Amino acid sequence: MPRLTTRAVIGIGSFVGFLIVVWLANTSTDPSHPHKTNSKPSTSLRCHRWARSLKTGLTPYISNDKTVIITGAAGFIGSHITRYCVNRLRMTVIAVDDLSSGYEANIPVSSKVTFVRGDLKNATFVWSLFRGRKIDYVYHLAGYPSRRLSHFVRSYIYRNNLLASVNLINAAVKAGVKCFVFTSSVAVYGSSELVVSESSIPHPQDSYGIAKLSTELELRATKRVHDLEYVILRLHNVFGPNQNVVDPYRNVISIFMGQIMRDTPITVLGDGTQKMSFTYIDDIVSLVARCPLYPAARSHTFNLGSDNVIDINHVVEVVKSVMKRPNHPVKHVPAQNEGKLAGIDHSKANCFFKQTPRMEFEVGVSSMADWFRAVGAERLKRSRLAALKVETKKNIVSLWLNEDVSEVDEVDHLARLVA
């Protein structure tokens, strides 16, 4: 596939800016935004807001005759969704991944699973996934997830997280797909001192969040023009087995476990008092896999995750405990200016799906540690990442400058695994 020219990358950036403007103009009329709010709603109002939508379909469609495409199927969340769709929903799955940071071993072995390796940035490859098949749903989970690193690899993020998504949306329209499920992120909200809900106006503060929001806007525009149904799920801080334990630029819990395994200090940005909510993978898998089966959920956006808020210092202590290294050293490094949220309202997902995360944080981390010792540690031992390449090093996190970092005009792949 030919490289994008500088003019093409600038064009993508302009397109992203245009989509943000469209978002602000249409927020009040989108079905996912019944009204604007900056605070958590009272219990009596929560489900009443969506009463009309909920009446449209509470009984789910059947799933065992469906053929679906799942992108990022060899990665963390994608592998769990693939397993659930095959084993629990009896779907036929076309599992797609480029194996740049996932593992084929994560994909379940089944006569109902066909693994296809390829690059979603290549529109010809994307269309080949649909050709000759009747695809009912697309679950789009592929993409590079590092918010902090995205400031320094903007072109890479837009090509992998936006251009690839547009290729997939185009193909879904041409193939007559019934529903497109997109895993977005609470990164679209940016920073807020108030609790954010799906009707809060997004202000993404990093290229990762901008790319996610742009894909959301593309899906809404495609619904209006081509009637492609969608469900958007804004996830945050999901953790558990099958996470990438090699990449040091994402997934804080796996980073901490990896640092313990390598016998290097756990690195904490800032003083560690920043608070985050963490969601164990098993608590969201069913909802993500089943959401296109519910007519009421179509053309809606949902925040998805745990309400429990935990500070990073506590995360460190839990990880050290479950890894049986209570005295492992911790190193604090200067914090990066990043978005912080006071809280996230999940009441809409609770109303539609009657399901809330239940796994206690400590139990989930312990379960992940069991997997890490059985599988993750061996992957960490056998693999490493190639030297980090960025498009600009200006103001990059000092912690990353300790690595072998080079500045290039265009990043081919910053997270490729090396055996």
Side-chain angles (χ1 to χ4, degrees):
M1 180 179 177
R3 292 175 177 269
L4 290 179
T5 64
T6 300
R7 179 177 297 177
V9 172
I10 293 173
I12 291 174
S14 301
F15 177 61
V16 170
F18 171 74
L19 289 175
I20 301 298
V21 172
V22 173
W23 164 273
L24 294 175
N26 289 279
T27 295
S28 61
T29 59
D30 189 274
S32 290
H33 299 269
H35 59 78
K36 300 176 184 178
T37 182
N38 287 314
S39 61
K40 197 167 184 176
S42 65
T43 303
S44 61
L45 291 176
R46 289 180 184 179
C47 295
H48 177 71
R49 291 184 189 175
W50 305 288
R52 185 166 57 181
S53 294
L54 288 168
K55 287 180 181 178
T56 64
L58 296 176
T59 303
Y61 299 118
I62 60 173
S63 60
N64 58 8
D65 64 342
K66 300 296 189 290
T67 298
V68 304
I69 287 174
I70 300 179
T71 68
F76 169 38
I77 299 178
S79 62
H80 286 273
I81 300 304
T82 301
R83 189 174 304 277
Y84 193 96
C85 285
V86 171
N87 294 342
R88 299 291 298 276
L89 300 181
R90 307 306 302 163
M91 291 176 170
T92 298
V93 175
I94 311 302
V96 184
D97 207 290
D98 65 0
L99 298 185
S100 58
S101 57
Y103 295 83
E104 189 173 350
N106 287 343
I107 301 173
V109 176
S110 168
S111 60
K112 296 180 76 66
V113 177
T114 300
F115 172 59
V116 184
R117 183 176 182 176
D119 186 353
L120 296 177
K121 298 190 299 297
N122 185 326
T124 301
F125 166 73
V126 171
W127 178 242
S128 73
L129 300 171
F130 295 81
R131 187 183 299 115
R133 299 184 174 109
K134 178 182 177 297
I135 303 298
D136 295 285
Y137 308 138
V138 171
Y139 295 83
H140 182 33
L141 297 102
Y144 191 74
S146 177
R147 295 179 61 180
R148 295 188 183 100
L149 192 56
S150 71
H151 292 288
F152 309 99
V153 287
R154 291 183 178 89
S155 171
Y156 174 83
I157 289 293
Y158 291 138
R159 284 182 282 125
N160 284 273
N161 291 15
L162 177 56
L163 178 61
S165 300
V166 170
N167 286 341
L168 200 59
I169 291 170
N170 282 340
V173 169
K174 291 193 292 183
V177 167
K178 297 174 184 175
C179 188
F180 192 108
V181 178
F182 175 57
T183 50
S184 185
S185 168
V186 296
V188 302
Y189 294 118
S191 258
S192 176
E193 296 180 357
L194 301 170
V195 175
V196 294
S197 72
E198 294 85 353
S199 57
S200 301
I201 296 178
H203 295 285
Q205 296 180 326
D206 49 67
S207 301
Y208 174 74
I210 294 170
K212 286 290 190 183
L213 179 57
S214 299
T215 301
E216 290 188 14
L217 297 176
E218 267 298 332
L219 285 170
R220 294 190 176 98
T222 304
K223 165 61 179 172
R224 289 192 294 270
V225 177
H226 303 293
D227 201 30
L228 174 65
E229 298 280 10
Y230 65 83
V231 180
I232 294 170
L233 305 170
R234 291 174 176 166
L235 309 180
H236 56 100
N237 298 323
V238 182
F239 71 98
N242 290 0
Q243 277 199 322
N244 186 314
V245 298
V246 181
D247 191 339
Y249 311 110
R250 52 175 165 174
N251 305 328
V252 64
I253 294 175
S254 62
I255 289 174
F256 292 165
M257 289 183 178
Q259 289 172 330
I260 289 176
M261 176 65 187
R262 290 191 297 266
D263 203 27
T264 59
I266 289 176
T267 51
V268 176
L269 296 179
D271 61 8
T273 60
Q274 59 269 41
K275 296 182 182 297
M276 304 170 68
S277 59
F278 293 87
T279 308
Y280 189 65
I281 182 65
D282 286 357
D283 279 342
I284 67 160
V285 166
S286 172
L287 192 154
V288 176
R290 293 178 181 274
C291 69
L293 301 176
Y294 289 83
R298 301 285 181 88
S299 302
H300 279 277
T301 299
F302 301 93
N303 292 334
L304 191 56
S306 172
D307 289 323
N308 295 329
V309 177
I310 304 167
D311 67 60
I312 297 301
N313 288 328
H314 181 65
V315 174
V316 170
E317 293 306 312
V318 171
V319 171
K320 291 197 298 182
S321 175
V322 300
M323 293 292 289
K324 305 186 188 311
R325 296 284 294 274
N327 298 318
H328 193 83
V330 178
K331 177 183 178 181
H332 291 265
V333 298
Q336 183 182 12
N337 184 22
E338 57 183 288
K340 295 181 180 179
L341 295 175
I344 302 168
D345 178 13
H346 305 107
S347 60
K348 183 176 179 181
N350 297 341
C351 290
F352 276 72
F353 303 108
K354 313 299 182 187
Q355 177 181 329
T356 57
R358 299 178 301 276
M359 179 72 80
E360 293 183 6
F361 177 71
E362 292 78 7
V363 177
V365 177
S366 179
S367 178
M368 181 176 171
D370 291 341
W371 168 85
F372 182 88
R373 283 186 285 266
V375 178
E378 186 64 23
R379 288 180 177 177
L380 186 64
K381 186 185 305 182
R382 292 189 175 187
S383 304
R384 64 180 177 84
L385 285 181
L388 176 64
K389 294 180 180 179
V390 296
E391 294 152 16
T392 176
K393 292 199 293 187
K394 184 176 181 180
N395 296 331
I396 197 169
V397 180
S398 59
L399 171 66
W400 297 339
L401 283 175
N402 294 331
E403 308 294 335
D404 184 13
V405 180
S406 59
E407 192 174 79
V408 298
D409 292 332
E410 184 175 305
V411 177
D412 287 327
H413 211 296
L414 53 89
R416 191 171 300 283
L417 293 174
V418 179

